[in-house]
Amino acid sequence: MNDAYKSSLTLGESKKLMLKYIDEYSIGGAVVSDADNQDYLLRHNALADAAQLQLARLFPLTRLHIINCRPLSEQLAAGGIGRSYVYPGKSWQLLADAAGAYYAELSGSGTFRVEALLGGSWQLLEEQVLGAVCGKVLAADISAPGASAVRLVVDAATPLLVQNAALYKYRYAADGVPPCRSYVEYRMPADFMRLHKLEVEGDGWRGREGLFTWQDPRTLILPGDIDAQLKLHYHAYPPKIGDDTADSYEIPQRPEVARLIPLKVAQLVIPTERAALAERLGQQFDAEVAQLQQLERSQEFASVQAVYRM
């Protein structure tokens, strides 16, 4: 959790405030037991989660996600973007002095092999028999200590397309071999709601700002030859508040925003026969939201003025 919000509101404190808003916290100067308030307390967390989502859209939680873009060409040992047709009885090869991973897109029937030159002879590292496939992607790390060369070999049984085949200089994490394509997909963090602003460091981006696009609301598409660091400041979804979330959990919002949650929950949790109280709480919630929004708008135009005294 962001350290800046450690003075915020805990779930336990939110529950107590909810009970106070609906006048169920005490009777005759004595605190009502949790057992007698279970119907309210058991509903609190689900309603608090709905309330925090509503508030996160109005008062966003801002997070930072950094992407280091490196040109695909810097990673290649051999191959690259392009396509080759291989016909029955023929073979296709891609050779590099050394390699740590491979990538290839194949369509057709035949055999795909990864071989390493060890002790003066080619030894099989991996083999796949391709049926009538369409658009099969093969990508993996290569483990061949002591190899003086590595090659990819495709033998065609039917007309076969080899596309965007590459041998990479480096090894990558499991399932992390980069696609050999003219563009790169960057998946946003799980809590990504929407982009706030983008900062770019690196000359490789200049004049190409219009090339950045979204494939879907959480997948950023960039050219594969970009050399830059991207700092994405984004608005985030808050962590889910579930039935089992501990009362000690601190709501990751500014205190003045977090304290609107028990007010909203109080409006939603009271019985229908107390409609007048629910309406009054709803009006109070809306008024406080409007007041905070007005304050934020005024701060957007605030400036810092340097004052010098002799």
Side-chain angles (χ1 to χ4, degrees):
M1 186 178 65
N2 193 321
D3 289 343
Y5 300 129
K6 283 194 174 179
S7 61
S8 187
L9 191 74
T10 67
L11 275 187
E13 292 168 336
S14 178
K15 290 175 181 178
K16 290 180 181 179
L17 281 171
M18 171 197 69
L19 293 172
K20 291 176 180 180
Y21 278 126
I22 63 177
D23 199 21
E24 296 289 348
Y25 183 72
S26 63
I27 297 177
V31 175
V32 178
S33 70
D34 287 349
D36 289 334
N37 273 325
Q38 279 299 296
D39 285 345
Y40 299 120
L41 295 173
L42 289 174
R43 295 162 61 193
H44 173 275
N45 285 15
L47 296 175
D49 188 59
Q52 74 164 352
L53 285 173
Q54 177 183 355
L55 290 169
R57 289 190 286 268
L58 300 174
F59 307 100
L61 297 167
T62 303
R63 301 285 185 262
L64 174 64
H65 179 59
I66 296 178
I67 298 175
N68 291 305
C69 306
R70 292 294 176 264
L72 181 67
S73 57
E74 290 185 359
Q75 306 173 60
L76 294 176
I81 298 167
R83 55 175 52 192
S84 300
Y85 291 95
V86 189
Y87 296 98
K90 301 294 183 180
S91 294
W92 171 94
Q93 293 188 19
L94 180 64
L95 177 69
D97 290 339
Y102 68 83
Y103 178 91
E105 299 172 7
L106 304 165
S107 180
S109 299
T111 303
F112 172 84
R113 300 193 306 278
V114 183
E115 298 177 343
L117 189 59
L118 295 163
S121 63
W122 289 103
Q123 297 187 22
L124 182 66
L125 300 180
E126 182 182 332
E127 182 176 53
Q128 293 195 37
V129 177
L130 308 173
V133 299
C134 180
K136 185 177 180 65
V137 174
L138 302 177
D141 283 328
I142 299 171
S143 179
S148 58
V150 175
R151 69 182 182 184
L152 306 181
V153 182
V154 174
D155 295 318
T158 64
L160 192 150
L161 172 65
V162 182
Q163 182 171 274
N164 300 335
L167 284 166
Y168 291 106
K169 300 175 184 177
Y170 313 107
R171 294 180 58 82
Y172 298 91
D175 301 322
V177 178
C180 181
R181 293 178 180 166
S182 59
Y183 62 90
V184 183
E185 300 178 3
Y186 294 98
R187 191 70 172 163
M188 295 297 103
D191 64 349
F192 182 89
M193 181 187 294
R194 61 182 180 271
L195 182 66
H196 175 50
K197 66 178 180 179
L198 175 65
E199 297 176 348
V200 182
E201 297 180 1
D203 294 338
W205 185 263
R206 291 182 180 177
R208 311 188 69 190
E209 292 82 358
L211 298 179
F212 123 85
T213 186
W214 294 93
Q215 177 175 289
D216 56 53
R218 290 183 55 209
T219 305
L220 178 63
I221 304 296
L222 294 174
D225 59 350
I226 290 292
D227 184 4
Q229 183 184 79
L230 276 60
K231 294 182 177 179
L232 290 94
H233 300 264
Y234 68 94
H235 294 164
Y237 287 106
K240 181 176 177 58
I241 298 174
D243 291 339
D244 297 329
T245 304
D247 283 355
S248 59
Y249 172 76
E250 294 179 345
I251 296 169
Q253 267 284 12
R254 305 194 309 272
E256 65 271 23
V257 176
R259 291 179 184 276
L260 293 174
I261 291 177
L263 178 57
K264 185 65 177 179
V265 174
Q267 176 200 355
L268 299 173
V269 80
I270 58 178
T272 55
E273 60 267 21
R274 301 171 69 185
L277 177 57
E279 182 178 1
R280 188 162 66 251
L281 291 171
Q283 291 172 349
Q284 182 180 347
F285 176 83
D286 292 340
E288 294 196 23
V289 166
Q291 186 178 23
L292 278 178
Q293 288 180 313
Q294 178 62 36
L295 179 62
E296 287 200 343
R297 283 193 292 269
S298 66
Q299 290 175 338
E300 287 178 3
F301 297 99
S303 59
V304 177
Q305 181 177 0
V307 178
Y308 298 93
R309 291 185 175 88
M310 299 299 294

